[in-house]
Amino acid sequence: MRTLDELTRPNIRRLKPYSSARDEYKGKTASVFLDANENPYNQPYNRYPDPLQGEVKQALSAVKGVDPDSIFLGNGSDEAIDLLFRAFCEPACDNVVAIDPTYGMYEVCAAINNVEYRKVPLDDAFRFRVDDMLRKADAQTKLMFLCSPNNPTGNSLDRAEMERLLDAFDGLVVVDEAYIDFSSGPSLLGQLKERPNLVILQTFSKAWGCAGIRLGIACAHPEVIAILNKIKYPYNVNLLTQREALHMLQQPLQVQQWVDVLLKERERLMEAFAGLPCCLQVYPTDANFFLAKVTDANGIYARLVEQGIIVRNRSHITLCDNCLRITVGTSEENDALLEALSHEAV
Ligand SMILES: *Cc1c(COP(=O)(O)O)cnc(C)c1O
């Protein structure tokens, strides 16, 4: 691996970060806070939140088995993705390599940061090709993006192949595990300690049922995390979000129950969906959604919208011709979808 200094943009390497009042005083014993120009009234919203979210990280550390100094928390995974570009990719100079199709935000963040985005197509079984990714890379490639289970295809990527990429590529490999709690396979979190070039993204938005609070997780070597912390907005995760996350982290059994129910529903929904006249193929999935090829994705999508049922039309995406992406809902919601689609002609 190139050294972290070699991978980091020179201006970020040199940066001396903003130091907030809450950074400079970290003790708990003080009772008179006259350091941050806050209003003394309107508790508890009057106070700035903990800039490094210590309590949330402690609780998350216990749940995930990752040291707190290997955890970055942001305003959704999207913040972590953007910060990775800003930390490591020099605009108009560096590039990143990613599988295709995958989550759209990597490409959008690349474009916003004026960083070249190199796509490597999955094969027709949605498997990724390590050697093609390595061939696409050059000395200016700082990041590679994998997503497992992948969005929108739903499948998990081959673990041995991901490890082979981590061994062979000398930059950072970002593995987005937004759907890992629904997967039959294990997370790569266990390899964090041996792999300084591994960055794992997870989120509170899916299995944890908290898309509304905007809380994303990046796990990596402490030196990578320190760089992200250096360039983030000082108070990037607000007080309400930190509180709700702590509350959720105290009920992991609730989350496991949701996952169990959704996996059962997924099986039922996919089987019924496969039997619909308008369905040509249902693809295997490891997530809380599945991809399906249908007779006429655009028409079916539009007719579902008229009935107030919204799915994701992915038919314009690489390898997803005439495909809809269906999120598993409650059994009532899934039944409403099946009922509406049963009237679709072949
Ligand atoms: C939904 C999703 C996320 C979550 O993003 P947040 O900003 O944390 O809500 C991240 N990655 C992928 C691949 C997703 O599908």
Side-chain angles (χ1 to χ4, degrees):
M1 181 182 163
R2 282 166 278 176
T3 66
L4 204 54
D5 266 358
E6 287 169 324
L7 289 172
T8 307
R9 290 170 64 198
N11 62 313
I12 302 299
R13 212 186 303 142
R14 288 189 300 266
L15 177 73
K16 189 178 173 319
Y18 173 75
S19 178
S20 68
R22 283 302 108 85
D23 280 325
E24 289 186 6
Y25 179 77
K26 288 204 181 94
K28 280 243 162 143
T29 47
S31 58
V32 181
F33 286 101
L34 305 176
D35 58 342
N37 299 344
E38 296 152 333
N39 187 325
Y41 306 112
N42 199 33
Q43 290 275 353
Y45 308 109
N46 60 330
R47 298 296 174 193
Y48 282 102
D50 176 354
L52 290 171
Q53 310 98 18
E55 280 185 83
V56 181
K57 284 180 187 169
Q58 275 300 335
L60 194 58
S61 169
V63 170
K64 299 281 181 190
V66 175
D67 294 340
D69 66 355
S70 281
I71 301 175
F72 167 86
L73 293 176
N75 187 340
S77 314
D78 296 343
E79 181 182 2
I81 294 165
D82 186 54
L83 291 183
L84 286 164
F85 279 100
R86 290 166 61 190
F88 300 109
C89 300
E90 194 63 32
C93 168
D94 291 336
N95 67 73
V96 305
V97 172
I99 57 171
D100 181 47
T102 192
Y103 185 46
M105 275 307 287
Y106 317 139
E107 186 169 10
V108 170
C109 278
I112 290 170
N113 288 287
N114 195 20
V115 169
E116 187 193 346
Y117 185 81
R118 300 183 176 178
K119 299 179 185 185
V120 179
L122 301 175
D123 71 13
D124 53 13
F126 299 144
R127 288 173 298 220
F128 84 114
R129 299 186 260 216
V130 176
D131 298 311
D132 289 2
M133 294 191 78
L134 291 169
R135 260 194 297 278
K136 272 268 158 113
D138 57 28
Q140 258 52 63
T141 306
K142 299 297 191 68
L143 310 174
M144 288 202 183
F145 284 93
L146 300 177
C147 183
S148 181
N150 188 34
N151 179 2
T153 57
N155 60 306
S156 289
L157 303 183
D158 186 272
R159 195 181 172 79
E161 289 293 274
M162 290 199 279
E163 291 176 17
R164 196 154 76 77
L165 186 68
L166 279 154
D167 286 335
F169 178 54
D170 62 358
L172 298 177
V173 178
V174 182
V175 181
D176 191 337
E177 295 188 338
Y179 300 97
I180 195 66
D181 298 296
F182 299 102
S183 170
S184 49
S187 163
L188 277 175
L189 279 177
Q191 300 205 5
L192 222 46
K193 281 234 155 75
E194 303 111 69
R195 295 191 178 275
N197 66 334
L198 173 60
V199 180
I200 296 174
L201 303 179
Q202 293 193 2
T203 180
F204 276 72
S205 296
K206 307 288 158 60
W208 287 79
C210 286
I213 73 172
R214 310 305 303 131
L215 189 61
I217 308 164
C219 297
H221 189 283
E223 286 178 32
V224 174
I225 298 300
I227 293 173
L228 299 182
N229 283 334
K230 185 163 103 158
I231 64 175
K232 75 182 185 68
Y233 287 162
Y235 304 108
N236 62 326
V237 179
N238 73 67
L239 183 91
L240 298 168
T241 296
Q242 292 192 41
R243 281 188 154 192
E244 181 59 21
L246 272 174
H247 173 71
M248 286 308 301
L249 285 163
Q250 281 151 19
Q251 32 204 331
L253 289 181
Q254 169 67 266
V255 175
Q256 195 50 54
Q257 269 178 24
W258 286 332
V259 169
D260 293 344
V261 167
L262 289 170
L263 291 181
K264 280 215 190 76
E265 266 301 304
R266 181 182 78 185
E267 208 172 296
R268 179 184 78 90
L269 175 59
M270 285 176 74
E271 202 177 307
F273 200 102
L276 291 167
C278 66
C279 176
L280 300 177
Q281 188 172 1
V282 163
Y283 296 95
T285 183
D286 243 346
N288 65 332
F289 63 84
F290 63 93
L291 196 68
K293 193 182 279 296
V294 294
T295 46
D296 169 24
N298 293 333
I300 292 171
Y301 174 81
R303 288 186 288 279
L304 285 174
V305 169
E306 274 172 36
Q307 297 170 75
I309 299 172
I310 315 300
V311 298
R312 199 81 199 268
N313 184 359
R314 300 279 76 183
S315 51
H316 56 288
I317 302 267
T318 319
L319 297 176
C320 299
D321 195 37
N322 266 320
C323 284
L324 300 174
R325 193 193 69 192
I326 315 286
T327 306
V328 179
T330 64
S331 60
E332 293 79 9
E333 291 170 330
N334 301 333
D335 284 343
L337 174 71
L338 291 168
E339 155 64 18
L341 290 176
S342 69
H343 303 299
E344 286 290 337
V346 177

